[in-house]
Amino acid sequence: MSSASPRRTFAIISHPDAGKTTLTEKLLLKGGAIHLAGEVKARGQARRARSDWMKIEQQRGISVTSSVMTFERNGITFNLLDTPGHEDFSEDTYRTLTAVDSAIMVIDAARGIEAQTRKLFEVCRLRSVPIITFVNKVDREGRSPFELLDEIADLLALDVAPMLWPIGMGGLYEGLHRMGDATDALPEAIRDEVELAQAGYPEFDVAAYQHGDLTPVFFGSALREYGVEDLIEAIATYAPPPHALPADPEPIAPDNPEVTGFVFKVQANMDPNHRDRIAFMRLVSGTFKRGMKLTPTGHGKPIAIHSPILFFARERELADEAFPGDIIGIPNHGTLRVGDTLAEKSAVRFTGLPNFAPEILRRVVLKDFTKTKQLRKALDDMAEEGVTQVFYPEIGSNWIIGVVGQLQLDVLLSRLDAEYKVAAGLEPSPYDTARWITADDPADLKAFIDLNKGAMAKDRDGNPVFLAKSAWEVGYVADRYPKVKFAATRER
C-alpha cells in the first residue's frame, strides 16, 4: 500500500444511548458518504441512521449487527466498523474490535463512563487499541469537564489530554476552544479553566496515544455537529495506519507481499431480496485483486473471489483491488466462517478470535416438525455468524442454543421467522453453562464422555461440549477429572 493511499480502520465504542449512532451518521455525512442526515429522533416515522438496517434494530433503535462503512476524505480512506452497543452482543463486538487499528470512545457528558463503555474499553486494552475520546452532548446540562477528565483517567488508568474545551455547557454553551490557541478572546472564567487544564493535564503525545497509554479528549455534540470535524481530522492525523497482526507461526505486517486476511464476521441475508451470505474480511497484507484465489484455513481448498464488495454506507461496489486495512465482503454459500484466515500461499492463521462460553442456554422447540431441516440450517447459519452457538446433545432430540445475553434470543426468534419462515419457541434448558473439553490423551477424553453421556453435546464443528447445571458443577467435575481440560473460550 502506497503512503499516498492511507487507511484508517476504526470502530466507535459506547454505552447504549451515549450517541454512537448519531455520531456514526455525522461522520458519514462529513465524509460525503451519505447526503441526508436521518436523525435518530426525527419526528413522524423515525428514520434510523444508515448503519442500523435490521428490522429488530429499527424497532429498538439499537445497533445489533456490526456493519462496515467506508468513506474517503482528503485522500484518506476511512473504514468505520459499527459495533453493537448493547451489552448482550459483547462477543460480536469483541470480534469486530480484532479487525480495527483504533477506536473512538463516546461518553455522555452527563453520565460519564458507564458499564458497557468500560467493558468495551477493557477489550480494546487487551489488544492495546489506541482510543480517542469524544465527550458528547455538551449542548445539554452535563458534569464539569474536569470531573469527566478525572473520571476517565481514574477509572480507565489512562492519561488524558484535552484537545477541545467547551465554552460553557448546556444552556450556557457558546462554542469550543482548541487547546493551544490564544485564550485572549475567551470569557475570564473559561480562560481560567483552560489555563488550569493546560497546567494540570499532560500535553498530547502521539506515541503515548498509539501505544494505548493516553487518550486525546474532544468535547462536542454529535447531534449539532460540534467538534465532529476535529474528530475526523484527529483520526486522519494521529490514528495509526494498518499494522502487524498476531498470527501463527509469526505476526504478519501490512508490507508482506502475500495477500492475507481473516474473517471477523459473517452476515446472512443483508439484502432481503437475495438470500446472500457475506463474509467480512479484514485485509492484513498484500494487494488484493478481484478474481484472486485465496485458501481458507478451514478446509484448504482455494476459492476464487469474483465479486468482492466494498461498503460505502448503504451502497455496495465491486472491489477491483483492496489494500491492508480495507474490509471486503466476500459473498459465499457457507464456505467461509468467522475466524477463518485466507491466504494466497502460506499456511498462516491469525489468532485471537474466540468463542465465549454461553451464559444462557435454551432448548429450541419447533412448532411444525416438517421444518426440522430448515431449523438446523438456520441454527448452523447463525452459529456461523456468531449470533448464537448451537449444541446438539448426545442424548435427546431438542437442540440447545447458547448466548451471551438475552437480546440475542430475541434476534434469533425474529430472524427465524422473518428470514427462514420457521416458527419456533424457546423453553428452559436444564443446563446453565457450557465448557469445551479436551485432553492430552484421547482415551481420557473418551472415558469422560462415556461416563457423562447425559451432559454431553457437540457444537456445530463437532467439538465435544460438557453442559453443566451451574458454574459450581463445572468446578466440581473439573476437580474429579484432572486429566480433562474445561475451557470457557475456544479459538474459532
Side-chain angles (χ1 to χ4, degrees):
M1 183 183 71
S2 71
S3 57
S5 172
R7 274 13 186 203
R8 299 288 182 273
T9 302
F10 69 103
I12 301 177
I13 61 172
S14 76
H15 196 83
D17 300 327
K20 176 174 68 71
T21 304
T22 308
L23 180 61
T24 299
E25 186 176 63
K26 294 303 161 83
L27 289 171
L28 294 176
L29 199 62
K30 293 275 184 198
I34 56 173
H35 301 287
L36 166 75
E39 283 183 13
V40 181
K41 294 190 171 62
R43 280 178 302 196
Q45 184 177 2
R47 292 193 302 259
R48 297 290 173 209
R50 299 300 170 91
S51 58
D52 286 0
W53 45 259
M54 214 156 105
K55 197 172 164 192
I56 195 163
E57 297 182 309
Q58 290 165 354
Q59 290 163 354
R60 300 194 182 199
I62 52 174
S63 302
V64 172
T65 50
S66 312
S67 314
V68 180
M69 289 142 286
T70 294
F71 60 97
E72 287 172 1
R73 188 173 188 267
N74 299 339
I76 289 181
T77 299
F78 296 87
N79 295 311
L80 168 53
L81 274 59
D82 187 25
T83 55
H86 198 284
E87 64 187 319
D88 287 351
F89 281 80
S90 52
E91 200 168 354
D92 195 18
T93 304
Y94 184 99
R95 290 195 284 260
T96 297
L97 291 173
T98 63
V100 301
D101 300 311
S102 67
I104 294 174
M105 177 168 68
V106 181
I107 291 173
D108 184 309
R111 296 185 189 148
I113 295 208
E114 297 173 86
Q116 180 66 358
T117 322
R118 191 164 182 176
K119 204 189 252 182
L120 294 171
F121 170 77
E122 293 303 339
V123 171
C124 290
R125 171 163 275 163
L126 285 173
R127 305 181 71 87
S128 299
V129 173
I131 287 180
I132 292 174
T133 300
F134 184 71
V135 178
N136 193 22
K137 306 184 186 179
V138 295
D139 54 322
R140 302 186 195 173
E141 296 306 322
R143 287 154 64 183
S144 102
F146 290 105
E147 199 183 319
L148 289 161
L149 289 164
D150 291 346
E151 183 175 86
I152 297 165
D154 295 344
L155 282 183
L156 305 182
L158 268 184
D159 283 340
V160 291
M163 308 291 274
L164 289 178
W165 195 265
I167 304 170
M169 279 175 107
L172 302 173
Y173 175 81
E174 287 181 31
L176 296 165
H177 172 76
R178 282 193 184 90
M179 301 296 274
D181 286 2
T183 56
D184 303 344
L186 292 175
E188 193 178 342
I190 301 294
R191 195 182 321 149
D192 291 346
E193 278 185 12
V194 168
E195 285 168 3
L196 192 61
Q198 280 173 332
Y201 297 108
E203 272 189 37
F204 176 65
D205 178 301
V206 179
Y209 153 67
Q210 293 194 348
H211 284 137
D213 299 327
L214 173 145
T215 181
V217 181
F218 292 80
F219 289 83
S221 163
L223 192 64
R224 308 265 176 248
E225 296 181 24
Y226 305 149
V228 174
E229 195 95 26
D230 293 82
L231 202 54
I232 295 185
E233 284 305 313
I235 297 163
T237 312
Y238 308 124
H243 60 290
L245 290 180
D248 193 17
E250 60 185 7
I252 293 191
D255 57 4
N256 184 321
E258 183 186 354
V259 171
T260 65
F262 64 91
V263 175
F264 65 92
K265 177 175 183 62
V266 173
Q267 182 66 53
N269 309 329
M270 279 181 77
D271 180 348
N273 303 320
H274 305 96
R275 293 243 173 245
D276 60 351
R277 291 181 74 64
I278 291 183
F280 289 84
M281 179 179 89
R282 154 80 192 230
L283 195 63
V284 178
S285 67
T287 300
F288 171 86
K289 305 274 189 197
R290 185 176 160 199
M292 189 174 248
K293 283 190 172 172
L294 296 178
T295 304
T297 42
H299 49 71
K301 291 181 192 146
I303 53 172
I305 301 170
H306 295 299
S307 313
I309 299 163
L310 286 174
F311 302 88
F312 289 91
R314 252 187 159 170
E315 304 304 312
R316 301 178 181 190
E317 285 182 16
L318 278 179
D320 287 319
E321 58 178 10
F323 302 94
D326 282 341
I327 310 293
I328 54 175
I330 304 172
N332 72 105
H333 299 287
T335 325
L336 295 175
R337 294 154 48 180
V338 171
D340 276 357
T341 294
L342 289 107
E344 220 176 335
K345 301 187 288 284
S346 66
V348 64
R349 193 175 71 83
F350 289 101
T351 55
L353 275 90
N355 266 334
F356 295 90
E359 293 170 19
I360 301 171
L361 292 168
R362 292 285 183 271
R363 276 187 175 140
V364 185
V365 185
L366 202 54
K367 293 179 181 171
D368 175 358
F369 287 105
T370 63
K371 295 278 182 85
T372 304
K373 210 169 163 185
Q374 289 95 316
L375 176 66
R376 173 136 198 175
K377 179 172 179 3
L379 293 179
D380 276 350
D381 280 359
M382 284 192 252
E384 210 165 87
E385 291 173 47
V387 174
T388 62
Q389 293 175 48
V390 61
F391 303 109
Y392 300 106
E394 296 284 359
I395 297 170
S397 58
N398 280 89
W399 298 331
I400 291 174
I401 54 154
V403 294
V404 175
Q406 179 66 37
L407 187 65
Q408 284 164 284
L409 296 176
D410 300 344
V411 170
L412 172 79
L413 292 177
S414 163
R415 289 186 59 187
L416 280 176
D417 181 46
E419 294 169 22
Y420 296 91
K421 306 292 178 271
V422 171
L426 300 172
E427 65 178 30
S429 138
Y431 308 108
D432 189 50
T433 190
R435 294 290 184 272
W436 287 274
I437 58 167
T438 54
D440 293 333
D441 184 342
D444 291 330
L445 190 62
K446 185 179 184 307
F448 176 83
I449 291 170
D450 290 346
L451 285 166
N452 294 278
K453 268 275 194 284
M456 291 306 302
K458 285 192 165 68
D459 69 8
R460 71 171 303 285
D461 297 316
N463 298 302
V465 174
F466 174 67
L467 300 171
K469 293 184 174 65
S470 65
W472 177 86
E473 188 188 16
V474 173
Y476 175 73
V477 174
D479 285 344
R480 286 185 62 202
Y481 296 91
K483 291 179 179 172
V484 178
K485 298 184 188 79
F486 295 79
T489 61
R490 189 179 76 78
E491 281 273 328
R492 287 187 71 95

